[in-house]
Amino acid sequence: MSAADQDWDEGNPERLYVITRGRRALAERTTFDLVTLVVSRAEPTPTMQPEHAAILRICGSPLSVAEISAYLRLPMSVVTVLLADLLAEERIEARAPVPKAILPDRALLEAVMHGLQRL
Amino acid sequence: MDFRDSETVLGPQSADLLPASATTAVKIVIVGGFGVGKTTLVGSVSEIRPLTTEETMTQAGAGIDDTAGVELKTATTVAMDFGRISIGDELVLYVFGTPGQERFWFLWNGLFEGALGAVVLVDTRRLEVSFDVIGRLEDRGVPFVVAANTFPESPSYPLDELRAALDLPDEVPIVQCDARTRESSRDVLMALMRHLYNLSAPPGR
Ligand SMILES: Nc1nc2c(ncn2[C@@H]2O[C@H](COP(=O)(O)OP(=O)(O)OP(=O)(O)O)[C@@H](O)[C@H]2O)c(=O)[nH]1
Ligand SMILES: [Mg+2]
């Protein structure tokens, strides 16, 4: 195996298919960015799908969608489907990232530079 | 991971929690060829231990195989490392590392959508991947800077020679870095932010 092939991983398609019940993340992709911040607005319940419960449990403080994907060890495409379920039921709050602009706001850039300076 | 019990999912450690006031997140992307130091740079600047997210390739016509209707059977996943820097109580910066090779470009839609900009990390021993990446970023209109990671074995070229070799326009900043140190990695991100700031200068200045 060449070194570069390490990036590839076959995953377990059947498992992922079961978790999303075969749904695909098309519409959801537009709602959830990698850095949309998610916060729980409800407690997990025992009858809930375990993945939904896990999200509610770890999102007591804001977490980005990417972090949720990392902690659950599920691909983004699966996580966004799960999050869309929870959002539809108003069990989570989603804080959208700064809207896409041609170029970012200067005040935002100044804030980031200021933050980096302190690093 | 066994999901029969949601308790088996470990969330962030208490030291890694964001304050409830965190409302806005922004992202930047570190892109470069195999082994140029993307993960190292992300780790150097991140306040949390770098995490890994994965993305499945479900995009039709990605040129790998024809999977119409059965894409889940052949889903391929690619890992991306990322780190986090809290800028203040409300603003959080995420830094994603992503491989630059063309076969990973299917990741770029979700990644560059809304991103502030990119850092093209290059190893002076292997510039090939960087050509394609730079061309692709230019096509997509993503602002970027170039950072040459310093490996002991790499020949050290003056930056203007490197600029010429990469056929880089004058207005695109190019810096040298050591991805292993926080300060140097931070300076790379600063170079990008300054570049973005200059680009955003009000017209008619
Ligand atoms: N000397 C030196 N070594 C470095 C530097 N940055 C990274 N390395 C080393 O180079 C190797 C590759 O670095 P990574 O950060 O894993 O590179 P990467 O781009 O994430 O690699 P892939 O994700 O596998 O493509 C590691 O062994 C690092 O310790 C640097 O600035 N100087
Ligand atoms: Mg890496």
Side-chain angles (χ1 to χ4, degrees):
Chain A
M1 181 164 99
S2 88
D5 286 337
Q6 287 169 206
D7 292 321
W8 294 86
D9 168 13
E10 272 303 300
N12 183 338
E14 290 78 14
R15 181 179 68 103
L16 301 183
Y17 188 86
V18 169
I19 292 171
T20 60
R21 283 171 268 138
R23 290 167 301 154
R24 307 224 311 245
L26 290 178
E28 291 82 1
R29 300 302 297 264
T30 53
T31 313
F32 294 102
D33 188 271
L34 277 164
V35 299
T36 299
L37 294 175
V38 173
V39 192
S40 306
R41 283 289 167 253
E43 296 291 325
T45 64
T47 55
M48 215 174 240
Q49 190 177 334
E51 293 80 11
H52 286 142
I55 291 171
L56 293 183
R57 214 165 42 72
I58 66 174
C59 290
S61 296
L63 273 188
S64 64
V65 176
E67 281 166 299
I68 297 169
S69 158
Y71 288 122
L72 265 61
R73 297 188 205 174
L74 289 173
M76 281 293 296
S77 48
V78 172
V79 169
T80 49
V81 171
L82 296 169
L83 288 172
D85 295 338
L86 291 169
L87 189 65
E89 295 163 357
E90 298 184 342
R91 292 180 201 267
I92 57 166
E93 178 191 330
R95 302 173 177 173
V98 174
K100 187 185 163 77
I102 307 294
L103 279 168
D105 181 40
R106 286 168 77 83
L108 171 72
L109 295 173
E110 277 168 9
V112 174
M113 282 193 275
H114 186 76
L116 288 175
Q117 215 101 57
R118 287 193 317 249
L119 204 67
Chain B
M1 173 160 301
D2 185 354
F3 259 105
R4 265 166 295 181
D5 181 0
S6 74
E7 302 289 323
T8 58
V9 175
L10 291 181
Q13 302 191 318
S14 54
D16 291 345
L17 296 179
L18 284 174
S21 55
T23 43
T24 306
V26 291
K27 61 185 170 182
I28 58 184
V29 182
I30 313 295
V31 54
F34 176 72
V36 298
K38 303 178 293 291
T39 302
T40 305
L41 193 148
V42 167
S44 291
V45 293
S46 181
E47 68 193 14
I48 56 171
R49 181 180 50 85
L51 295 170
T52 304
T53 178
E54 50 184 46
E55 185 65 281
T56 43
M57 179 159 62
T58 53
Q59 191 176 312
I64 308 295
D65 30 37
D66 182 9
T67 59
V70 290
E71 78 268 19
L72 282 167
K73 287 280 171 206
T74 54
T76 305
T77 64
V78 181
M80 280 191 293
D81 301 312
F82 66 98
R84 194 182 81 194
I85 304 168
S86 293
I87 298 298
D89 292 339
E90 295 177 7
L91 184 60
V92 192
L93 173 66
Y94 285 90
V95 182
F96 288 87
T98 193
Q101 297 90 315
E102 188 168 353
R103 67 180 191 279
F104 300 118
W105 287 358
F106 74 90
L107 289 171
W108 287 27
N109 288 330
L111 200 52
F112 284 101
E113 194 76 35
L116 295 179
V119 172
V120 179
L121 196 56
V122 304
D123 177 344
T124 54
R125 290 166 296 181
R126 289 171 291 153
L127 291 179
E128 320 79 57
V129 175
S130 317
F131 292 117
D132 294 343
V133 167
I134 288 169
R136 177 81 170 179
L137 290 175
E138 285 170 341
D139 289 347
R140 292 184 67 116
V142 176
F144 64 94
V145 299
V146 173
N149 201 5
T150 334
F151 290 89
E153 319 80 56
S154 318
S156 92
Y157 299 106
L159 287 179
D160 54 343
E161 260 179 52
L162 204 51
R163 175 184 294 284
L166 288 170
D167 199 14
L168 206 61
D170 284 344
E171 58 275 14
V172 177
I174 179 165
V175 295
Q176 201 104 47
C177 75
D178 183 335
R180 293 166 303 176
T181 76
R182 169 171 283 210
E183 198 175 36
S184 180
S185 302
R186 190 262 323 266
D187 289 346
V188 171
L189 303 189
M190 278 300 260
L192 173 64
M193 299 317 295
R194 253 185 249 109
H195 180 50
L196 295 173
Y197 194 77
N198 292 337
L199 289 175
S200 73
R205 186 168 40 131

mmCIF file of all heavy atoms in Angstrom, chain A residues 38-41 55-62, chain B residues 20:
data_model
loop_
_atom_site.group_PDB
_atom_site.id
_atom_site.type_symbol
_atom_site.label_atom_id
_atom_site.label_comp_id
_atom_site.label_asym_id
_atom_site.label_seq_id
_atom_site.Cartn_x
_atom_site.Cartn_y
_atom_site.Cartn_z
ATOM 1 N N VAL A 38 -23.628 23.714 17.084
ATOM 2 C CA VAL A 38 -24.849 23.042 17.518
ATOM 3 C C VAL A 38 -24.903 23.031 19.046
ATOM 4 O O VAL A 38 -23.899 22.746 19.704
ATOM 5 C CB VAL A 38 -24.881 21.596 16.977
ATOM 6 C CG1 VAL A 38 -26.063 20.819 17.550
ATOM 7 C CG2 VAL A 38 -24.922 21.599 15.454
ATOM 8 N N VAL A 39 -26.068 23.353 19.589
ATOM 9 C CA VAL A 39 -26.284 23.307 21.036
ATOM 10 C C VAL A 39 -27.565 22.532 21.318
ATOM 11 O O VAL A 39 -28.576 22.739 20.645
ATOM 12 C CB VAL A 39 -26.435 24.733 21.635
ATOM 13 C CG1 VAL A 39 -26.360 24.669 23.164
ATOM 14 C CG2 VAL A 39 -25.379 25.670 21.097
ATOM 15 N N SER A 40 -27.522 21.644 22.309
ATOM 16 C CA SER A 40 -28.717 20.869 22.684
ATOM 17 C C SER A 40 -29.771 21.787 23.274
ATOM 18 O O SER A 40 -29.455 22.707 24.024
ATOM 19 C CB SER A 40 -28.376 19.819 23.746
ATOM 20 O OG SER A 40 -27.323 19.019 23.312
ATOM 21 N N ARG A 41 -31.020 21.490 22.958
ATOM 22 C CA ARG A 41 -32.139 22.201 23.562
ATOM 23 C C ARG A 41 -33.095 21.232 24.264
ATOM 24 O O ARG A 41 -34.168 21.603 24.679
ATOM 25 C CB ARG A 41 -32.898 22.991 22.477
ATOM 26 C CG ARG A 41 -32.189 24.254 22.061
ATOM 27 C CD ARG A 41 -32.254 25.314 23.161
ATOM 28 N NE ARG A 41 -31.337 26.428 22.915
ATOM 29 C CZ ARG A 41 -30.218 26.629 23.588
ATOM 30 N NH1 ARG A 41 -29.859 25.809 24.558
ATOM 31 N NH2 ARG A 41 -29.431 27.652 23.316
ATOM 32 N N ILE A 55 -25.730 12.790 20.309
ATOM 33 C CA ILE A 55 -25.547 14.194 19.896
ATOM 34 C C ILE A 55 -26.067 15.127 20.989
ATOM 35 O O ILE A 55 -25.378 16.069 21.394
ATOM 36 C CB ILE A 55 -26.259 14.475 18.553
ATOM 37 C CG1 ILE A 55 -25.538 13.738 17.416
ATOM 38 C CG2 ILE A 55 -26.296 15.981 18.264
ATOM 39 C CD1 ILE A 55 -26.265 13.766 16.081
ATOM 40 N N LEU A 56 -27.270 14.847 21.495
ATOM 41 C CA LEU A 56 -27.839 15.712 22.539
ATOM 42 C C LEU A 56 -26.946 15.713 23.777
ATOM 43 O O LEU A 56 -26.782 16.726 24.454
ATOM 44 C CB LEU A 56 -29.249 15.253 22.904
ATOM 45 C CG LEU A 56 -30.311 15.409 21.807
ATOM 46 C CD1 LEU A 56 -31.678 14.994 22.338
ATOM 47 C CD2 LEU A 56 -30.353 16.847 21.284
ATOM 48 N N ARG A 57 -26.346 14.569 24.051
ATOM 49 C CA ARG A 57 -25.516 14.449 25.247
ATOM 50 C C ARG A 57 -24.223 15.253 25.139
ATOM 51 O O ARG A 57 -23.803 15.897 26.098
ATOM 52 C CB ARG A 57 -25.213 12.978 25.524
ATOM 53 C CG ARG A 57 -25.116 12.617 26.999
ATOM 54 C CD ARG A 57 -25.175 11.123 27.217
ATOM 55 N NE ARG A 57 -24.374 10.392 26.243
ATOM 56 C CZ ARG A 57 -23.046 10.379 26.237
ATOM 57 N NH1 ARG A 57 -22.374 11.029 27.152
ATOM 58 N NH2 ARG A 57 -22.401 9.700 25.313
ATOM 59 N N ILE A 58 -23.597 15.227 23.965
ATOM 60 C CA ILE A 58 -22.290 15.906 23.860
ATOM 61 C C ILE A 58 -22.419 17.394 23.502
ATOM 62 O O ILE A 58 -21.441 18.120 23.557
ATOM 63 C CB ILE A 58 -21.332 15.211 22.863
ATOM 64 C CG1 ILE A 58 -21.841 15.291 21.430
ATOM 65 C CG2 ILE A 58 -21.088 13.764 23.289
ATOM 66 C CD1 ILE A 58 -20.844 14.740 20.411
ATOM 67 N N CYS A 59 -23.624 17.839 23.124
ATOM 68 C CA CYS A 59 -23.779 19.236 22.701
ATOM 69 C C CYS A 59 -24.353 20.133 23.793
ATOM 70 O O CYS A 59 -25.034 21.114 23.503
ATOM 71 C CB CYS A 59 -24.620 19.331 21.430
ATOM 72 S SG CYS A 59 -23.764 18.690 19.992
ATOM 73 N N GLY A 60 -24.070 19.826 25.037
ATOM 74 C CA GLY A 60 -24.479 20.701 26.135
ATOM 75 C C GLY A 60 -23.840 22.072 25.982
ATOM 76 O O GLY A 60 -24.457 23.103 26.223
ATOM 77 N N SER A 61 -22.586 22.098 25.581
ATOM 78 C CA SER A 61 -21.908 23.324 25.172
ATOM 79 C C SER A 61 -21.806 23.285 23.654
ATOM 80 O O SER A 61 -21.817 22.204 23.079
ATOM 81 C CB SER A 61 -20.501 23.389 25.764
ATOM 82 O OG SER A 61 -20.566 23.448 27.168
ATOM 83 N N PRO A 62 -21.682 24.463 23.030
ATOM 84 C CA PRO A 62 -21.654 24.479 21.558
ATOM 85 C C PRO A 62 -20.539 23.600 20.984
ATOM 86 O O PRO A 62 -19.423 23.601 21.489
ATOM 87 C CB PRO A 62 -21.385 25.958 21.234
ATOM 88 C CG PRO A 62 -21.779 26.730 22.449
ATOM 89 C CD PRO A 62 -21.573 25.813 23.613
ATOM 90 N N ALA B 20 -20.933 28.934 26.370
ATOM 91 C CA ALA B 20 -22.285 28.973 25.796
ATOM 92 C C ALA B 20 -22.462 30.184 24.886
ATOM 93 O O ALA B 20 -23.316 30.199 24.001
ATOM 94 C CB ALA B 20 -23.320 28.987 26.912
#
